[in-house]
């Protein structure tokens, strides 16, 4: 399953090389990173998209949901690390 996301990310990178302002491509690349559990990359892309005033409000709501899940997952790992110490 991971391989398909990796292939998708490579394809999105090619599209962004030609069309660096493509909101849809950036969003889908962020989703692919998220689904392949590369949360820091997904978070970076989503935060970048949130700064773009051209991103539709419906997409911003989806981005917020992804960022919330990323925060929840990374917060739990941090807490687990603290308890292990």
């Amino acid at each position: 399953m991971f391989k398909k996301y990796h292939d998708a990310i490579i394809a999105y990178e090619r599209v962004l090389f030609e069309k660096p302002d493509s909101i849809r491509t950036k969003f889908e690349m962020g989703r692919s990173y998220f689904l392949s559990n590369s949360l820091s990359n997904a978070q970076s892309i989503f935060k970048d998209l949130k700064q773009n005033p051209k991103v539709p409000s419906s997409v911003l709501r989806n981005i917020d949901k992804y960022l919330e899940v990323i925060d929840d997952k990374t917060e739990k790992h941090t807490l687990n690390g603290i308890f292990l110490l």
Side-chain angles (χ1 to χ4, degrees), residues 29-47:
M29 190 162 89
R31 271 182 18 92
S32 293
Y33 276 123
F34 177 85
L35 294 170
S36 67
N37 210 30
S38 183
L39 300 181
S40 62
N41 288 329
Q43 184 178 43
S44 176
I45 290 170
F46 290 142
K47 284 184 175 183

